[in-house]
Amino acid sequence: MSEELEKFEEETRGEQLRKALLYKKKNGYDRLIAGETEAMEAYCTGYKQFLDAGKTERECVERAITLAELSGFRPYSRGMALQAGDKVYSSNRGKALMLAVIGRQGLDAGVNIGAAHIDSPRLDLKQNPLYESEELAFFKTHYYGGLRKYQWVTIPLELHGVVVLKSGQTVRVSVGDGAGDPLFTIDDLLPHLGAEQSKKPLGTAIPGENLNILVGSRPLRDDEGSDRVKLSVLELLNLKYGIVEEDFISAELCAVPAFKASDIGFDRSLIGAYGQDDRVCAYASLAALLQLQIPERTAVCILADKEEIGSEGVTGMKSGAFDGFMADLCAGQGVLPRACYEKSFCLSADVTAAYDPNFSDVYEKRNSAFVNYGVCLCKYTGARGKSGASDASAELVAQVRKVLDGSNVVWQDRKSVV
Ligand code: MN
């Protein structure tokens, strides 16, 4: 054997080994097959509509119910007789939603669950929000969820929510997303007055109590009394919604960024929008369920509220709502809920951070997710010694890998973020 041929064969073996043994990631765009680009665009159009229609968990539930009913889902009531292929949903106080498509197998075979949250960080109005200072009217806010305060000043804001009057009547409020609607904003210092502020750490430069929303500046005409701007704002609110100041006590009003979902980049390859954590997974879980005909195992989708603040409360996952829904479904088939749970499978979906070359020092590159490399499979989360983690077993991860690969789903693993 000539020296040259020997070298060639060695390289071939190396190539073979690389192919056989090494884990090779591939950009999702290099894996697209005919028709998939169009399907992806169509899906993203629906997703962007979902984002624009749902700026709060309440609005997301409404939108999800509309889409579900168009796909043949109907409201579930306890004791309802269900057969394979039946599609039902149950709203928890209009803020969280559970949906199910009944499978061929009984609930004693377990169910497949997709869970995601539909609440997002925002600025909630305090219960006594409206005040006037130096002839400017503001709303006091209490921020909800993990937000970076400096990102909320100087941007246009919309107001969404409900006010429940003393009479019990619920008034919906939505200002900013209609054509010609006014917007709101939170002021920040101009550069030449912000020298001292600029020396502060990012996390403290904008205190939470400074997140006051500017809502008016025009004083009531022909009046000599106090708080003429505030009074003028209240008059407008009363004309439009029939509310008086005390009604704020029983209101849930949220300020959210006033941006419509947009394509990002010359190539339109990304979507920029408020609330993609975690409506990106919520919409995916919902869209998957809406397409189902008759699954083998019953398929369940949970769109949860309150994840951003620890899953607390009667609409969060720590409530009994989901267990109650499952117990009712199980009772319909004479199955013990725990017998169903023992064999059930749940994908707990949420967003993960993709590697950002502009902030490379906070990522561990070998175990980071990358943009365009597909959905992320995260075996465990948790900080320090996996504190707070739900560590999926190797067997379960293997099962998910197999399903994803078998369906040609573009996916990637992501172990942890430093
Ligand atoms: Mn999330």
Side-chain angles (χ1 to χ4, degrees), residues 267-417:
D267 59 5
R268 298 176 170 269
S269 60
L270 301 159
I271 293 170
Y274 162 69
Q276 298 198 69
D277 178 0
D278 182 38
R279 291 164 193 153
V280 65
C281 298
Y283 183 72
S285 307
L286 177 69
L289 210 70
L290 300 188
Q291 286 177 12
L292 283 179
Q293 297 303 317
I294 307 179
E296 275 304 309
R297 302 220 295 179
T298 292
V300 177
C301 170
I302 313 162
L303 305 180
D305 181 29
K306 296 284 182 283
E307 192 276 344
E308 290 288 345
I309 56 166
S311 301
E312 308 289 346
V314 291
T315 52
M317 282 311 292
K318 288 183 185 168
S319 77
F322 177 68
D323 290 333
F325 178 67
M326 290 304 300
D328 285 343
L329 291 183
C330 286
Q333 295 188 7
V335 171
L336 280 175
R338 64 174 186 272
C340 171
Y341 282 176
E342 278 164 9
K343 293 188 176 164
S344 291
F345 166 82
C346 179
L347 267 185
S348 173
D350 208 340
V351 298
T352 191
Y355 184 84
D356 184 344
N358 291 313
F359 298 96
S360 56
D361 55 333
V362 300
Y363 297 89
E364 197 264 275
K365 201 172 176 183
R366 287 186 176 80
N367 284 290
S368 289
F370 285 83
V371 170
N372 289 333
Y373 280 72
V375 294
C376 305
L377 198 57
C378 187
K379 187 177 182 298
Y380 56 83
T381 57
R384 300 171 297 280
K386 289 190 182 176
S387 172
S390 163
D391 196 348
S393 72
E395 291 84 348
L396 186 94
V397 176
Q399 191 190 329
V400 176
R401 267 175 72 188
K402 198 175 160 194
V403 169
L404 294 179
D405 285 340
S407 308
N408 204 28
V409 173
V410 180
W411 68 277
Q412 57 186 320
D413 72 305
R414 170 263 182 187
K415 292 190 187 76
S416 60
V417 174

Side-chain angles (χ1 to χ4, degrees), residues 22 96 105 107-108 115 141 159-160 185 192 227 244 264 291 338 354 364 402:
L22 295 183
Q105 297 176 6
L107 290 166
D108 52 346
T141 65
L159 203 61
H160 292 249
T185 197
H192 65 267
D227 284 356
V244 297
I264 299 290
Q291 286 177 12
R338 64 174 186 272
E364 197 264 275
K402 198 175 160 194

Side-chain angles (χ1 to χ4, degrees), residues 20 81 114 122 180 191 205 209-210 237 249 286 360:
R122 62 179 184 240
E209 289 300 335
N210 273 30
L237 289 173
I249 292 172
L286 177 69
S360 56

